[in-house]
Amino acid sequence: MAAPVWSLDPRTGKRRERVAVEATADAVDAAVRAAHTARGPLADRGRRAALLRRAAALLEADADGVLAIADAETALGAARLTGELARTAHQLRSFADLVDEGAFLDVRIDHRAPELTPPRPDLRRYKIPLGVVAVYAASNFPLAFSVPGGDTASALAAGCPVVVKAHPDHPATSERCAALLRRAAADTGLPADTVTLVHGFQAGLDLIRHPLVAAAGFTGSVRGGRALHDAAAARPRPIPFHGELGSLNPVVVTAAAAAERAEEIGTGLAGSMTLGTGQFCVKPGLVLLPDGAAGDRLLAALTAAAGATGPGVMLDHRMRDGYLAGVRERAQLPDVQLPLAPVVEAEGHTVDAAVLTVPAARLTAAGPHDLLLEECFGPVTVVARYAGEDEAGAVLARMPGTLSATLQLAAAESAGTDPEGRGARLLAAVTPLAGRVVVDGWPTGVAVAPAQHHGGPYPATTSTATSVGGTAVERWLRPVVYQDTPPVLLPPELREANPLGLPRRVDDRPEAPAAPRTAAPTAGEEPGP
């Protein structure tokens, strides 16, 4: 008998309601096969764009219901979740615009050139969808990185049906959002099974191993992501696995920056590390701070501001226990101090922020302090006090791959007028570590924009792709070229007359379409339930 799936209240630890059952192997097989049949209808770019816009409209129309369930399951609060829903709807519409434009197909045509040596045949290249995509929802973003989130939106934009493996921390939210997406598909003339949903740990393994699954996207822990990555690679036919696993997101504060604005940086750091109870994937988890009076002032401002944030509820009790154990284990290392310790209530459900300090010299060589170079999920950061730039550089040289790296520079360093060129030198030092480099700001908050890159060297991610921004669609496509193919057999995207009005490169020169194609609205696309 299939195990029940319960929705839990993280504020109390009590069951809210039974929302589903865990998918059996047969149920996973049925979900994947149903999604697989949607590939043909989803090939219509107009319907894909309409689906994405209709999904955004339905999500907004049902905002009150979605947000109430999401808050009950995650304790993230109405304000945070309202912003996340708006971001999710914007993301869906952004991918619809991308589908309309068609540049992501990367159409390239090289005409036959017999006069070349060697002679060139007629070559026509574009990108096609991989097939069914498995999406593994994240715990900390029940909307933007879950059922209606970026992996789903980008896969649908590419023309790939999606099977989502729901996260156990918000199963009711997942069911609600999946129903909205399936309704959006039906409203726009597509099969409802363009998006399907499954629950359960074993279902996640069955999904990654299914022969009709062509690629997967994951956001979660290093342990869970690595297990799925290895399973994807061990298949008889390995598939791409785009996983976001874990990230330390280091911050480097220069001595001059600390002298100029210690209190400002300390307060800003506290806000970033405690945002969402420290459960953002780009939370700054390690800070390189100079020794001396200015660094002391910054540390005092950090601990005061972080301590004033008050207790917060984490996504589930397992994460709460892991956070408290992680802080305790790190605090027991030699030369590690705990200027801000979390208050532990035996019967409580909340956590407080924590700040750890350590001499940077402890991190310049392998040893037990390497634990401080691993992510600790929750509102904690490690402040490593360095004696000089060489020592800070030695720590950076041992840093694992990360989603973001932040530099806090003095005015002259940011302007490039520092005679020592420290700003440029530090920028060069952190660029190999991260997918996004932030200067004089904070990494929490990942804008949905065409130029965005949300990824980084392993273990931050398992591929070089981004999961945020328009280029996220590239994960679910592969190029194919047609050589000397009769025009009547060519796909419409590659025909000489450009009937779809696509941007193309022809004989290695950009060709702007005379009449750019805009997807016609489909019945049911207008906003509203």
Side-chain angles (χ1 to χ4, degrees):
M1 183 176 179
V5 174
W6 292 92
S7 172
L8 303 178
D9 183 345
R11 294 179 174 95
T12 64
K14 295 180 179 179
R15 289 176 173 175
R16 294 180 59 252
E17 59 176 330
R18 175 175 167 170
V19 299
V21 295
E22 294 186 357
T24 62
D26 287 344
V28 171
D29 179 64
V32 175
R33 292 186 182 280
H36 187 69
T37 64
R39 292 176 306 140
L42 202 56
D44 185 319
R45 285 197 301 125
R47 291 193 184 279
R48 295 210 302 266
L51 161 62
L52 292 163
R53 292 193 176 96
R54 180 61 174 159
L58 290 176
L59 193 64
E60 290 170 333
D62 194 27
D64 289 345
V66 170
L67 295 178
I69 296 171
D71 180 55
E73 289 190 310
T74 67
L76 288 173
R80 150 70 195 276
L81 289 168
T82 298
E84 188 179 335
L85 188 145
R87 169 206 172 99
T88 304
H90 168 66
Q91 192 163 240
L92 288 161
R93 292 191 174 101
S94 294
F95 279 111
D97 293 342
L98 180 142
V99 172
D100 280 344
E101 181 192 31
F104 73 99
L105 296 171
D106 195 22
V107 177
R108 296 170 183 262
I109 296 175
D110 291 322
H111 291 107
R112 179 191 299 272
E115 73 279 5
L116 295 180
T117 305
R120 185 178 72 201
D122 185 89
L123 300 170
R124 295 168 186 252
R125 177 188 188 272
Y126 78 141
K127 292 181 178 178
I128 62 174
L130 292 175
V132 177
V133 168
V135 170
Y136 293 81
S139 63
N140 54 343
F141 283 85
L143 304 174
F145 283 84
S146 292
V147 174
D151 285 353
T152 297
S154 59
L156 293 174
C160 296
V162 173
V163 180
V164 183
K165 190 274 181 188
H167 196 280
D169 279 352
H170 43 79
T173 308
S174 298
E175 287 284 341
R176 184 82 165 226
C177 290
L180 294 174
L181 290 176
R182 290 171 62 82
R183 178 179 167 189
D187 287 351
T188 50
L190 291 166
D193 288 333
T194 296
V195 178
T196 60
L197 182 71
V198 297
H199 298 265
F201 176 82
Q202 184 59 45
L205 294 175
D206 294 338
L207 184 59
I208 200 70
R209 294 167 178 156
H210 196 286
L212 293 181
V213 168
F218 171 89
T219 302
S221 68
V222 173
R223 181 180 178 184
R226 187 53 195 257
L228 290 171
H229 176 269
D230 292 348
R235 290 166 43 123
R237 293 185 180 181
I239 60 171
F241 180 84
H242 301 283
E244 180 191 324
L245 311 188
S247 188
L248 199 57
N249 308 300
V251 177
V252 182
V253 183
T254 66
E260 280 186 1
R261 49 195 178 91
E263 288 75 19
E264 176 189 334
I265 295 173
T267 302
L269 173 60
S272 186
M273 62 161 279
T274 60
L275 188 64
T277 320
Q279 297 172 116
F280 277 51
C281 50
V282 286
K283 177 206 73 176
L286 179 75
V287 184
L288 285 164
L289 181 65
D291 286 333
D296 292 344
R297 292 196 343 260
L298 192 154
L299 179 61
L302 165 64
T303 54
T309 59
V313 178
M314 295 192 71
L315 294 163
D316 62 38
H317 281 221
R318 176 182 57 82
M319 292 182 188
R320 177 183 183 271
D321 293 345
Y323 164 71
L324 294 173
V327 172
R328 185 166 55 249
E329 185 178 8
R330 287 161 173 79
Q332 292 171 351
L333 293 168
D335 292 333
V336 173
Q337 297 181 349
L338 192 61
L340 181 63
V343 177
V344 180
E345 300 177 9
E347 300 300 324
H349 301 278
T350 61
V351 298
D352 296 282
V355 175
L356 299 150
T357 64
V358 65
R362 283 287 194 176
L363 303 177
T364 58
H369 289 77
D370 284 357
L371 179 63
L372 302 176
L373 299 179
E374 297 177 11
E375 179 185 20
C376 183
F377 198 66
V380 59
T381 197
V382 176
V383 179
R385 305 296 299 271
Y386 66 88
E389 192 175 332
D390 288 346
E391 192 169 74
V395 176
L396 289 174
R398 300 194 63 247
M399 197 76 65
T402 185
L403 293 171
S404 72
T406 299
L407 302 179
Q408 294 292 338
L409 307 176
E413 294 165 341
S414 290
T417 57
D418 170 27
E420 297 182 13
R422 186 173 292 107
R425 193 162 59 248
L426 281 173
L427 198 73
V430 299
T431 295
L433 303 175
R436 179 165 57 109
V437 178
V438 181
V439 179
D440 295 338
W442 300 106
T444 39
V446 182
V448 178
Q452 186 58 270
H453 184 82
H454 188 61
Y458 186 85
T461 52
T462 60
S463 72
T464 59
T466 179
S467 61
V468 178
T471 54
V473 72
E474 296 173 2
R475 296 173 296 169
W476 321 119
L477 299 164
R478 71 172 181 87
V480 62
V481 62
Y482 293 88
Q483 179 174 325
D484 290 334
T485 303
V488 71
L489 299 181
L490 286 170
E493 291 85 353
L494 299 180
R495 292 178 184 171
E496 194 69 22
N498 197 6
L500 301 182
L502 294 168
R504 320 187 293 185
R505 287 191 71 87
V506 178
D507 296 330
D508 207 26
R509 293 184 179 182
E511 177 194 80
R517 177 188 187 280
T518 301
T522 302
E525 190 180 346
E526 68 279 4

